[in-house]
Amino acid sequence: MSEQSDRSPHPIPLPQAGEGEAVSPAGDALKKIRIATCSLAGCFGCHMSFLDIDERLFGLIELVEFDRSPLTDIKRCGPCDVGIVEGGVCNAENVHVLKEFRKNCKVLVAIGACAINGGVPAMRNNIDLWDCFQEVYCYEGGLECGQIPNDPELPLPFDKVHPISEVVKVDYFLPGCPPSGDAIWKFLTDLLNGREPKLDYEQLHFD
Amino acid sequence: MKQFEFPEISRILTPILARHGGDASRLLQVLLEVQDVCHFIPSEAIDLIAAHFGVPRVNVEGVVGFYSFLSTRPVGEYRLLFSGNITDQMLGKDELMQYLCNKLWVEPGKVSEDGLVSIGSTSCTGMCDQGPAALINGWPLTKLDHNRLDLIAELIRSRKPVADWPAMLFEVVDNIHRGDVLLGQPFEPGAAIRATLARGAKETLVEVDKSNLRGRGGAGFKTASKWSLCHAAIAEEDGGVICDVGGHPERFIVCNADEGEPGTFKDRVLLNSYADLVFEGMTVGARVVGASKGFLYLRGEYRYLLQQLEAVLKRRREAGLLGETILGQADFSFDIEIHLGAGAYICGEESALIESLEGKRGRPRNRPPFPVTSGYKGRPTVVDNVETFACAAKIAEKGAAWFAAIGTAQSTGTKLISVSGDVARPGIYEYPFGVTVSQILDDCGAEGRPYAVQVSGPSGTTISWKEFDRKIAFEDLPTAGALMVFRRKRDLFQVAQNFADFFAHESCGFCTPCRVGTELQKKIMSKIASGYGTASDLEELKRLGHILKTMSHCGLGSSAANPVLDILEKFPDMVESKLKAFAFKPAFDLDGALATARTITGRDDDWAHL
Ligand SMILES: Cc1cc2nc3c(=O)[nH]c(=O)nc-3n(C[C@H](O)[C@H](O)[C@H](O)COP(=O)(O)O)c2cc1C
Ligand code: SF4
Ligand code: SF4
Ligand code: FES
């Protein structure tokens, strides 16, 4: 995200007030900001870190509602304000999910080292795909009694794991493995308030 | 490939280690010899060398890993490295390399199965005026073409030792097309030292100061200021002054002959044919700053000059121009030792060069302190370019007024320009400072209508045909000496991409903005080149360029974006014509990247395609 900081901000157009919707403390009815999240080739660590914003979740839930996300179990992403993607792109299904997010979300955020660079899963990039398959399925102790599975339901892996920015345009990058709950909170509150998200040094360094 | 057993490796190492002694600054020199004999640095050798110098094993491994001419895995008995500069590329390097690979049944970057040969690329070898060039086991091959490669393939297959290959393959010529005060006038060895001794050291410093000589290595720092800072500096340890064998405060003179900037080859010519002038300049510098020891840091690519340079040093010692009591002067001893580099551009940066001289990885130091106060082994050290020393010798001999009358106000004297690219007469041209680019282009027979010129190599400036009346001078276009010419119809994007690859390869990896930034820059350039570029990539390149310029630890990183930013600014249509779409496009062929998995699983269903 830091490298994006000289970009013009993406204020989220404030939704129109409507019946039966959340009411802000000032009493105006506001449409909630709709957020979708997903994990592609990631470990769900970034999602876990999201939960680390702890009791602030209650405040957040006043302002936002969740579309597709592990929190809701909605399977397909609909029109949203913000999409948050954890994990890189390692297979064909990841591309379908990612493109659906990009199509539906006004602002797309790459969260965590895996989404930004490929991260831990990209460590397989130095290994030939044939060797990967053989190691996993064919050698002794392998998973599938010497057979390589070919069911169309299984996502087909790419030669290499890619950062999501190589597949769709990404608006913001939130670094960390995972980013701390505080960093996520700061990022979201900036975004929700129409400010250019900006993390302090303390929230960005990890030593 | 022969595997070395412990007894054998120690038999190989013992004489090498004995010859170099126990000072850890010899580490790199030892490793170069081991690489030569074994074609790699065996693990057992690392243990023995570490024990010999009393340093941890990781230090030795770190050095081996740093320099591209050293390797921990066997390279071919015949290791052929093609020079990868853009000028070599324009002369057909890629096709020639593939041709030889096919002939010898080896993949680029790999070792043949019998261990006989490996073929790869290396950064510019400084033969741009007689390319395409390559190195075979460290020896330069020039003017490569299919006939020569046929012959080379034959020589390799018949396992003829490189020492017995026909001399014409290794012919390196000076190609001096215009000489002036350095290259065009005779020089009597000893003349500058005699003049210095007659005038006195202090007075000679005043002369160098009045001549307004500025460093020829690129940055253009005033030489006399550097020398006088060094002269004034003293290294202390435990409260006492660190002295040399003669009891004087220890200081060093270092000649920077790393000449790694692609397109630059004038130091090679100076060392080949004017070595006396260069060594004499170092000796004058030693007298002025009070140094008793000097180093010539010779880039590994110029190793073929080592023997003849040692011979010049020997001759100078015999003539009383080097060694104890120079020209009978009781209080004047100075000698020069030659250190070899091992294929790392960063070692041209003066503080990295000093690290390398000390036998370590070439990692730029934090500055200050600058080398003039704390350089080699913490002693005050002057690091100057080869050409700077040659000028200093001339000034000592002929005086400041004579020198300052040449050139312009801020840039006195002459400049050696290494011209290559699309010209009829590539080679060395010496001009008084202030010469225009168009004058040089006329003199060297620039072909057709020259379109762009790269001044001072990848880290310098790209200028377009609209700027050809600009002047070579510190006031306008400063240069370390390279001038690469590109005619109309040349793909300037490919030029910038070649330079981006160069910086990514040569980044020393110490600081993140450069290590990561140069790699990202390379990736985006390659993305655009392969037709996946979009308008947002251009913005990303500019943003990256800003980070590289402002956040890097040393000059390599801060100039690594120059060629890319220059082409974006001056030749935007050269870049935009490569963009397939202005909206976002994925950086790679999504469906193509699934092909391997389709083959492995035998699938061809809808979900197996994108
Ligand atoms: C990445 C990098 C590479 C350099 N390479 C060389 C080189 O090959 N030769 C050289 O003389 N100076 C080189 N320099 C400049 C040296 O750091 C130093 O300024 C120079 O040797 C000083 O000599 P001068 O005052 O005679 O110019 C390089 C600098 C950088 C940052
Ligand atoms: S960035 Fe780290 S925490 Fe997040 S998905 Fe990747 S590995 Fe897990
Ligand atoms: S800028 Fe590049 S070359 Fe210089 S110290 Fe940093 S990583 Fe090394
Ligand atoms: S420790 Fe890896 S980049 Fe700093």
Side-chain angles (χ1 to χ4, degrees), chain B residues 349-486:
Chain B
E349 196 281 337
E350 55 185 11
S351 64
L353 182 149
I354 289 171
E355 289 281 302
S356 182
L357 271 182
E358 292 178 0
K360 305 184 206 146
R361 306 163 63 102
R363 198 207 78 197
R365 293 178 177 173
N366 287 336
R367 299 177 308 162
F370 291 94
V372 282
T373 54
S374 176
Y376 181 66
K377 297 189 172 170
R379 303 345 183 222
T381 304
V382 161
V383 181
D384 276 322
N385 176 254
V386 174
E387 188 182 345
T388 311
F389 282 120
C391 292
K394 281 285 183 177
I395 293 166
E397 184 198 3
K398 299 200 165 187
W402 166 83
F403 190 82
I406 310 165
T408 71
Q410 292 301 311
S411 320
T412 52
T414 61
K415 184 76 196 88
L416 304 192
I417 308 286
S418 326
V419 180
S420 60
D422 293 317
V423 300
R425 289 174 298 281
I428 300 292
Y429 294 76
E430 182 184 10
Y431 289 101
F433 269 111
V435 64
T436 59
V437 173
S438 59
Q439 175 76 51
I440 304 176
L441 292 175
D442 282 348
D443 292 350
C444 66
E447 290 162 18
R449 273 185 301 166
Y451 191 52
V453 168
Q454 185 70 25
V455 180
S456 204
S459 67
T461 320
T462 318
I463 63 168
S464 84
W465 51 275
K466 294 175 208 151
E467 304 171 83
F468 286 170
D469 52 357
R470 291 181 66 180
K471 293 184 167 65
I472 300 290
F474 295 108
E475 298 94 314
D476 185 5
L477 278 174
T479 178
L483 193 124
M484 291 183 266
V485 181
F486 306 103

Side-chain angles (χ1 to χ4, degrees), chain A residues 3-4 6-7 92 95-96 99 129-130 133 148-152 154-159 162 165-169, chain B residues 523 536 540 543 547 584-588 590 592-601 603 605 607-610:
Chain A
E3 66 266 34
Q4 301 279 318
D6 54 350
R7 249 188 211 178
V95 171
H96 290 296
K99 285 192 164 169
L129 196 59
W130 280 95
F133 270 87
I148 290 177
N150 59 0
D151 193 317
L154 295 172
L156 200 65
F158 282 121
D159 294 341
H162 294 266
S165 62
E166 289 189 3
V167 178
V168 295
K169 176 158 166 37
Chain B
K523 247 182 133 172
S536 65
E540 195 59 38
R543 219 173 1 247
I547 293 174
F584 186 91
K585 274 191 69 155
F588 60 101
L590 295 175
L594 289 171
T596 320
R598 276 195 296 268
T599 314
I600 297 175
T601 57
R603 278 175 56 181
D605 52 276
W607 292 99
H609 286 277
L610 278 168

Side-chain angles (χ1 to χ4, degrees), chain B residues 492-565:
Chain B
L492 294 182
F493 184 86
Q494 192 194 16
V495 175
Q497 191 188 0
N498 176 289
F499 295 162
D501 290 354
F502 166 75
F503 285 117
H505 180 253
E506 295 295 345
S507 166
C508 84
F510 170 65
C511 70
T512 310
C514 169
R515 181 185 62 246
V516 178
T518 52
E519 202 58 48
L520 288 177
Q521 179 172 268
K522 170 182 165 176
K523 247 182 133 172
I524 299 175
M525 292 297 278
S526 135
K527 177 184 174 196
I528 296 173
S530 38
Y532 294 98
T534 58
S536 65
D537 289 313
L538 306 189
E539 290 311 305
E540 195 59 38
L541 282 173
K542 289 181 195 159
R543 219 173 1 247
L544 255 181
H546 180 73
I547 293 174
L548 277 164
K549 258 191 200 319
T550 52
M551 308 293 280
S552 297
H553 176 69
C554 85
L556 187 152
S558 57
S559 54
N562 289 358
V564 172
L565 297 178

